Amino acid sequence: MHHRATSRRSVLAATAAAAAATGIAFPRTAAATAPTSATAASDADGEERRLVRTVSRMTLEEKVGQLFVMRVYGHSATHPDQADVDANLREIGVRTAAELVARYHVGGVIYFTWAHNTRDPHQIADLSNGIQRAALAQRIPLPVLISTDQEHGIVARVGEPATLLPGAMALGASGARDVARRAAHIAGAELAALGIRQNYAPVADVNVNPANPVIGVRSFGADPQAVARMVAAQVKGYRGAGVAATAKHFPGHGDTTDDSHTKLPYIHHTREQWETLDAPPFRAAIAAGIDSVMTAHIVVPSLDPSEDPATLSRPILTGILRERLGYDGVVVTDSLGMEGVRTKYGDDRVPVLALKAGCDQLLNPPDLDLAWNAVLDAVRGGEIGEDRLDESILRILRLKARLGLLRDPYVTREKVDRVVGRRSHLDAADRIAEATTTLLLNTDGFLPLNRLTHRDLLVVGADPASPSGTTGPPTATLAAALTELGFTATALSTGTAPSAARIEQAVAAAAGKDAVVVGTYNVSATSAQRTLVARLAATGVPVVTVAIRNPYDVAHLTGQRATVAAYAWTDVELRAAARVLAGRARPEGRLPVPVQRADDPSRVLYPIGHGLSY
């Protein structure tokens, strides 16, 4: 098969050549500068021997630690706030990130907003450096691979003033691989400047189920081949920026009606359906040189009749991902704290079974001490061979070497200032967002809004919390953007489930306005947002809806004159939507998913590729 894994020599040589071309700092090897492939191959062999020697010097405890990627509370590696010290003691048994590294020898740390890791760019860079200082102070100085979920769109841990970009479904609406690659390169460059060198993106799931509660707009779309093209483009963008990309969630989380954070979903695709619907983006990611693949806490009986979650399934991870698809890079579990992986086995068995299935990195166990000791005991007791442990550690160390971390894991404040939130990145994000905004409905050419006839606007709707904690609220953002464009816009938040009183307040506020803009969020057949839109339309004031998450909203709404899909509610997408509403930008996006009729889901209201323009 053409996706079989290439040799270790060619992988290292190609990576070094790419680094030389892009100016990214990788370990200095002959592969980066040598004029002959023979020299490059020789140096790759030398690098491999050095890594093997490093592993041979590690104690069993150090090896086990290298497998874990752990959360830790605090903005500083050594001096977090007291509340974060207390949380660390309660959940991990250490006070600080530095203590976490010293005690458990963890190979990775994951940043979260709620763990107070991502306050601002300088703080993030300082935290990263503090963690690396602790790592290099160990008996065997091995840098930590710092990771986060920076998918952009509705999942973003690092917020403004860093550049925030449209998410996957929005990029899918652009239909342009160069747009997806550019977005990933900008995202990767800024993460690398902060010391975050592994990003849990892109999402390779194909969202064929509109009711999917956990993926949705995090997916590039419903067409497997289109998703595959966008995934490959993003892999190249991240790699070009010196960041390890992660294709997730294998073997494909797109056709679920359950959220694996809270339960164990089942996917009932046949093997043939999996090959057609779910596999193509992962094949494309592997062909593009993906650095890591994240597992899904889902059951796919056709791939593993034991009905173990994929994270713990040897037939899926070793039989399909490694042997059939030929992938030999790092496999990282989805968070081991999610309910989907905890329903069948205890927290002590889950990490052991994940390793036996074929995983390398064990992400965010709920009880690190329990998980760490369970793996240690499994090796000491012979359930897991030490050679199996060494395989995973070598994959992790190869990735760290390829990223240049073994040579220099530190970042500088100067580079943060030079790269993070730079004007060219922010301008590119605006242009990318305009290329994704999709006009679904435009009755009698009502849009774009005319400032002479429709100057006085009311903006109402949902105000979901900012993905990164640094943007929004959406109604205020839309109103401010429209006001800057020459309109007079007033914001009134009505929420995702507006009460009868709130709807009456909105109807009263619409009196005398020239138009009402409604931000809708995950509208369902029973949603009170439907009543809000219908009541506003009944006043005779023209209504325009902006879907600030799922484009499927439009199928459930009646009475609006026009509908725009923005795919997320971060400022960059909302400002682009405002420019489209005002005619300052033309809507260029095309639906990457079909929108089915609400009254007959077997019929398509708007097909893939639908999108109007001016």
Side-chain angles (χ1 to χ4, degrees):
M1 295 176 62
H2 69 284
H3 289 309
R4 298 299 295 177
T6 51
S7 71
R8 180 61 52 195
R9 289 182 181 182
S10 63
V11 168
L12 290 173
T15 303
T22 56
I24 301 161
F26 280 85
R28 180 160 297 282
T29 68
T33 55
T36 68
S37 59
T39 308
S42 173
D43 195 83
D45 284 344
E47 176 77 359
E48 182 76 359
R49 286 194 296 271
R50 285 191 291 274
L51 297 180
V52 169
R53 282 199 301 272
T54 298
V55 174
S56 71
R57 293 174 51 227
M58 297 171 71
T59 66
L60 185 55
E61 290 82 0
E62 288 167 338
K63 289 181 179 181
V64 169
Q66 198 65 205
L67 305 172
F68 283 95
V69 181
M70 191 59 185
R71 70 190 179 278
V72 64
Y73 291 87
H75 71 287
S76 163
T78 52
H79 296 90
D81 295 340
Q82 186 59 48
D84 292 323
V85 171
D86 295 341
N88 286 329
L89 286 170
R90 183 170 60 251
E91 294 185 20
I92 314 172
V94 298
R95 295 170 55 84
T96 66
E99 286 184 18
L100 168 69
V101 172
R103 179 177 299 184
Y104 290 102
H105 319 293
V106 293
V109 168
I110 179 173
Y111 286 172
F112 289 106
T113 309
W114 51 259
H116 310 137
N117 304 140
T118 56
R119 288 182 180 175
D120 65 75
H122 281 163
Q123 168 269 315
I124 298 170
D126 291 345
L127 173 61
S128 298
N129 284 340
I131 289 171
Q132 300 297 7
R133 276 193 294 273
L136 298 192
Q138 296 187 95
R139 186 185 72 88
I140 295 181
L142 286 174
V144 167
L145 184 53
I146 297 171
S147 60
T148 199
D149 290 282
Q150 188 78 351
E151 298 172 15
H152 289 273
I154 72 167
V155 176
R157 313 300 190 207
V158 179
E160 294 180 349
T163 304
L164 291 171
L165 293 137
M169 192 172 285
L171 295 175
S174 79
R177 280 175 282 185
D178 61 329
V179 167
R181 185 203 58 78
R182 175 68 172 144
H185 193 278
I186 291 170
E190 297 201 5
L191 289 175
L194 300 170
I196 301 170
R197 302 299 296 278
Q198 183 178 25
N199 191 18
Y200 298 133
V203 171
D205 304 316
V206 182
N207 201 71
V208 295
N209 189 339
N212 193 322
V214 65
I215 304 301
V217 293
R218 298 168 62 197
S219 163
F220 289 103
D223 177 351
Q225 299 305 323
V227 173
R229 289 190 292 270
M230 302 304 271
V231 165
Q234 288 235 298
V235 171
K236 292 172 183 174
Y238 280 116
R239 282 182 67 94
V243 165
T246 307
K248 64 185 187 185
H249 308 79
F250 190 83
H253 208 317
D255 193 8
T256 58
T257 53
D258 294 319
D259 184 344
S260 51
H261 290 83
T262 56
K263 58 180 68 174
L264 179 58
Y266 276 65
I267 289 186
H268 294 288
H269 289 178
T270 65
R271 176 66 73 109
E272 292 72 26
Q273 286 174 321
W274 178 81
E275 289 280 3
T276 302
L277 293 173
D278 301 294
F282 291 101
R283 290 184 185 276
I286 293 167
I290 191 71
D291 287 301
S292 51
V293 172
M294 179 179 284
T295 66
H297 304 326
I298 58 173
V299 171
V300 189
S302 67
L303 303 185
D304 183 356
S306 76
E307 301 195 9
D308 278 340
T311 299
L312 311 181
S313 169
R314 185 170 177 83
I316 291 175
L317 298 186
T318 297
I320 296 176
L321 179 58
R322 294 233 187 263
E323 295 172 359
R324 183 164 182 174
L325 300 187
Y327 177 67
D328 192 36
V330 169
V331 174
V332 56
T333 71
D334 206 342
S335 170
L336 297 183
M338 291 166 60
E339 200 59 34
V341 79
R342 303 173 72 189
T343 57
K344 194 171 179 179
Y345 302 98
D347 290 337
D348 58 334
R349 292 300 297 159
V350 165
V352 174
L353 295 173
L355 287 171
K356 293 175 73 173
C359 294
D360 303 304
Q361 290 183 308
L362 304 170
L363 177 62
N364 199 28
D367 185 334
L368 177 60
D369 193 68
L370 178 70
W372 191 86
N373 279 294
V375 173
L376 195 63
D377 291 344
V379 179
R380 285 175 174 163
E383 183 180 3
I384 297 176
E386 193 164 351
D387 58 342
R388 168 66 191 88
L389 222 57
D390 292 352
E391 285 178 22
S392 286
I393 294 162
L394 271 171
R395 289 192 188 103
I396 294 165
L397 292 186
R398 286 177 192 132
L399 179 53
K400 291 181 179 182
R402 191 152 66 239
L403 295 171
L405 289 170
L406 301 186
R407 180 170 59 84
D408 180 11
Y410 295 111
V411 293
T412 65
R413 285 190 163 211
E414 291 74 21
K415 188 165 186 181
V416 171
D417 292 336
R418 195 166 64 249
V419 173
V420 177
R422 64 190 293 177
R423 174 47 54 189
S424 63
H425 287 178
L426 297 172
D427 290 344
D430 284 336
R431 291 194 299 273
I432 289 168
E434 287 177 0
T436 69
T437 305
T438 308
L439 179 60
L440 300 178
L441 171 69
N442 194 20
T443 305
D444 298 328
F446 181 70
L447 292 180
L449 294 170
N450 186 321
R451 282 184 298 168
L452 297 178
T453 57
H454 295 88
R455 176 183 291 272
D456 197 4
L457 306 177
L458 173 66
V459 179
V460 304
D463 277 330
S466 166
S468 64
T470 61
T471 65
T475 54
T477 299
L478 271 172
L482 288 165
T483 298
E484 288 174 16
L485 293 168
F487 296 85
T488 302
T490 305
L492 173 65
S493 178
T494 50
T496 55
S499 64
R502 202 65 167 165
I503 291 172
E504 292 303 326
Q505 187 180 0
V507 168
K513 300 295 184 184
D514 297 320
V516 182
V517 177
V518 185
T520 66
Y521 181 93
N522 289 8
V523 180
S524 67
T526 58
S527 174
Q529 294 176 72
R530 298 181 66 198
T531 307
L532 172 69
V533 172
R535 286 290 311 282
L536 286 168
T539 67
V541 178
V543 172
V544 176
T545 63
V546 178
I548 64 173
R549 184 167 175 167
N550 290 338
Y552 311 114
D553 289 2
V554 65
H556 296 283
L557 302 173
T558 56
Q560 74 273 28
R561 300 283 293 276
T563 293
V564 167
Y567 304 101
W569 61 95
T570 51
D571 290 6
V572 68
E573 282 130 318
L574 296 176
R575 287 195 302 263
R579 291 194 294 277
V580 167
L581 295 180
R584 297 295 182 89
R586 290 195 295 183
E588 298 177 32
R590 299 292 180 266
L591 272 178
V593 293
V595 174
Q596 281 121 351
R597 289 179 55 142
D599 59 348
D600 184 359
S602 67
R603 297 172 63 189
V604 172
L605 177 64
Y606 298 122
I608 290 177
H610 172 77
L612 307 175
S613 194
Y614 301 148

